[in-house]
Amino acid sequence: MAELTALESLIEMGFPRGRAEKALALTGNQGIEAAMDWLMEHEDDPDADEPLAAPLGHTLGREPTSSEQADPEGPESSAGEGKPILSEEERQEQTKRMLELVAQKQREREEREEREALERERQRRRQGQELSAARQRLQEDEMRRAAEERRREKAEELAARQRVREKIERDKAERAKKVRLPDGTSLTQTFRAREQLAAVRLYVELHRGEEPGGDQDPVQLLSGFPRRAFSEADMERPLQELGLVPSAVLIVAKKCPS
């Protein structure tokens, strides 16, 4: 059974002649399958139907034969010589095979496009997941920085409160002591909480002024409330231990001879 040429087969399958010739030429006349692959891949090209310029002596879709190369008159001079004529049944059978081939190529193309679409969808989802993970990491970093900032501010606030408390304690410890003299006048001086009561007595003796006759009698220190007379042993004790901080009023009395 004689077979149709590749160009005739493509035309029989419904492809335009110009496009079929172009497909055969651009695939190097490697056969109908290569031409069909090209036609499938370029069916939507805007220039698919534009003619392809061919070298002199060549016909798109096939190589010039030796008789054509020897005959400058072209293929018309030998048209119809030696070419088998297909019967209608043979032509239909060959067309059927070609249509099955076209359907197979179409299925292969659809399957390839489906795989590519699935791959694009996987890439899109993967990129979406990566973007979501990046956003999550960014949010976690921001929350961590905010928590660290709150901890730092809280620590600074606690440190500031501690400094205030310490200052208050220092102020309490160093609060002035008021000493009332026998003549009704008063002396005011600041003493530290750990200073001994003897320091207060010494200060009184140095600043109470001269008594008539020039003699300075020993003095005794008393607390106003509750009434208490401090002994010589108390003179060696710190003011804090004697309950004279943060403030106190002491009364100076002449020491009675023992």
Side-chain angles (χ1 to χ4, degrees), residues 1 88-98:
M1 180 181 68
E88 184 63 24
E89 182 179 353
E90 292 173 334
R91 183 181 295 273
Q92 290 178 359
E93 180 65 23
Q94 192 164 14
T95 301
K96 179 181 177 181
R97 290 200 307 273
M98 293 301 102

Side-chain angles (χ1 to χ4, degrees), residues 7-257:
L7 177 59
E8 291 171 339
S9 298
L10 292 172
I11 294 173
E12 283 290 326
M13 286 186 283
F15 293 107
R17 182 183 185 87
R19 188 176 295 197
E21 291 177 342
K22 188 174 183 179
L24 289 167
L26 292 177
T27 56
N29 294 288
Q30 295 180 2
I32 190 170
E33 290 194 28
M36 287 176 61
D37 289 339
W38 186 94
L39 288 167
M40 292 293 185
E41 292 175 2
H42 298 83
E43 65 177 348
D44 296 326
D45 291 358
D47 60 346
D49 293 317
E50 293 183 6
L52 181 67
L56 184 63
H58 288 68
T59 299
L60 290 177
R62 61 183 178 85
E63 293 291 334
T65 63
S66 57
S67 60
E68 289 175 341
Q69 293 176 356
D71 185 3
E73 297 299 326
E76 290 82 359
S77 60
S78 58
E81 296 181 3
K83 182 178 180 181
I85 299 176
L86 297 176
S87 67
E88 184 63 24
E89 182 179 353
E90 292 173 334
R91 183 181 295 273
Q92 290 178 359
E93 180 65 23
Q94 192 164 14
T95 301
K96 179 181 177 181
R97 290 200 307 273
M98 293 301 102
L99 291 175
E100 291 174 352
L101 184 59
V102 169
Q104 178 183 349
K105 294 294 182 181
Q106 183 67 27
R107 287 193 301 271
E108 292 175 355
R109 179 186 178 186
E110 291 174 354
E111 291 173 357
R112 183 176 66 253
E113 290 176 348
E114 183 177 358
R115 288 194 300 271
E116 292 172 352
L118 290 174
E119 180 61 25
R120 287 194 299 269
E121 178 64 16
R122 281 194 293 267
Q123 291 180 357
R124 185 190 66 80
R125 292 184 179 181
R126 183 167 56 250
Q127 292 172 355
Q129 292 172 352
E130 292 174 353
L131 180 60
S132 178
R135 288 176 178 171
Q136 181 67 22
R137 287 194 298 271
L138 180 60
Q139 291 177 354
E140 291 175 354
D141 291 342
E142 291 177 351
M143 292 174 62
R144 184 165 52 252
R145 286 194 295 268
E148 291 174 355
E149 181 66 18
R150 287 194 297 270
R151 285 194 294 269
R152 184 184 63 80
E153 292 176 353
K154 187 175 181 179
E156 291 177 354
E157 182 180 356
L158 292 174
R161 290 181 179 179
Q162 181 63 25
R163 288 193 296 270
V164 171
R165 284 194 293 266
E166 291 174 356
K167 186 177 184 303
I168 292 173
E169 292 298 325
R170 287 195 302 270
D171 291 343
K172 287 180 179 180
E174 298 175 0
R175 195 167 296 177
K177 307 297 183 290
K178 187 174 183 179
V179 182
R180 187 175 301 160
L181 300 177
D183 61 2
T185 60
S186 298
L187 296 175
T188 302
Q189 179 61 24
T190 299
F191 297 92
R192 295 185 180 278
R194 295 186 179 277
E195 288 190 74
Q196 295 176 345
L197 183 58
V200 180
R201 184 175 66 178
L202 178 61
Y203 178 79
V204 171
E205 291 175 347
L206 293 175
H207 294 84
R208 65 179 177 169
E210 296 290 337
E211 292 185 358
D215 294 333
Q216 295 285 353
D217 295 331
V219 297
Q220 184 179 16
L221 298 179
L222 302 93
S223 62
F225 184 82
R227 191 77 173 181
R228 175 184 178 184
F230 295 103
S231 64
E232 284 299 321
D234 291 332
M235 294 300 140
E236 304 299 324
R237 297 170 65 187
L239 300 175
Q240 185 177 22
E241 185 177 326
L242 294 171
L244 299 177
V245 293
S247 63
V249 176
L250 297 175
I251 300 172
V252 178
K254 289 184 180 181
K255 188 174 182 180
C256 298

